[in-house]
Amino acid sequence: MKTVAIDKLTFKKKLSMIEQFSIKDFLFKWVGEPTEGLDDFLPLEYTESVFAKMEAKQGTSLLYNEDELFRYATITEDNQIVIGLLDSNEELKHRIISLDELLNG
């Protein structure tokens, strides 16, 4: 995954059920396929405020690289999965992976 500036991305306004399930499937694999399942380990809710995303429910705390807090995952108009993370300074960072990489990877 690579970090990108938010102004370089165009997010979808709505996500189909297939796109929502694709995000959940990616996150399940990304967090190491927890035995309790993704919904218990990382509960998500679909929201469409500003742009469509699968957002961590309030009170959920999943750390990435020990200092970044998972906030949400979404898909761009170019079919890239984008993960929004808060760093230790509470600055929002975005990391992307293309759906093509997921499907072929």
Side-chain angles (χ1 to χ4, degrees):
M1 282 187 282
K2 63 180 181 176
T3 303
V4 295
I6 190 74
D7 61 342
K8 305 285 187 218
L9 300 172
T10 305
F11 299 113
K12 292 187 175 190
K13 300 295 183 198
K14 292 188 179 291
L15 297 175
S16 70
M17 290 301 290
I18 292 171
E19 290 168 325
Q20 292 175 47
F21 286 124
S22 293
I23 289 171
K24 287 180 105 176
D25 184 58
F26 165 73
L27 291 173
F28 178 72
K29 292 173 184 164
W30 185 64
V31 297
E33 300 184 13
T35 54
E36 64 269 27
L38 185 64
D39 292 332
D40 291 332
F41 185 79
L42 180 61
L44 300 169
E45 59 187 345
Y46 176 68
T47 63
E48 290 181 354
S49 57
V50 183
F51 55 88
K53 59 190 163 294
M54 298 299 291
E55 196 166 13
K57 288 188 177 178
Q58 201 167 28
T60 302
S61 57
L62 171 66
L63 287 178
Y64 178 72
N65 283 342
E66 298 181 15
D67 64 345
E68 295 175 317
L69 183 64
F70 175 86
R71 297 305 310 140
Y72 60 82
T74 190
I75 298 177
T76 68
E77 292 291 343
D78 295 327
N79 287 329
Q80 297 170 306
I81 289 185
V82 176
I83 298 176
L85 304 157
L86 282 178
D87 68 12
S88 57
N89 296 323
E90 295 195 11
E91 184 178 331
L92 191 59
K93 303 280 186 185
H94 293 89
R95 300 188 188 271
I96 64 170
I97 185 167
S98 71
L99 288 180
D100 293 336
E101 287 177 75
L102 267 183
L103 296 173
N104 298 327

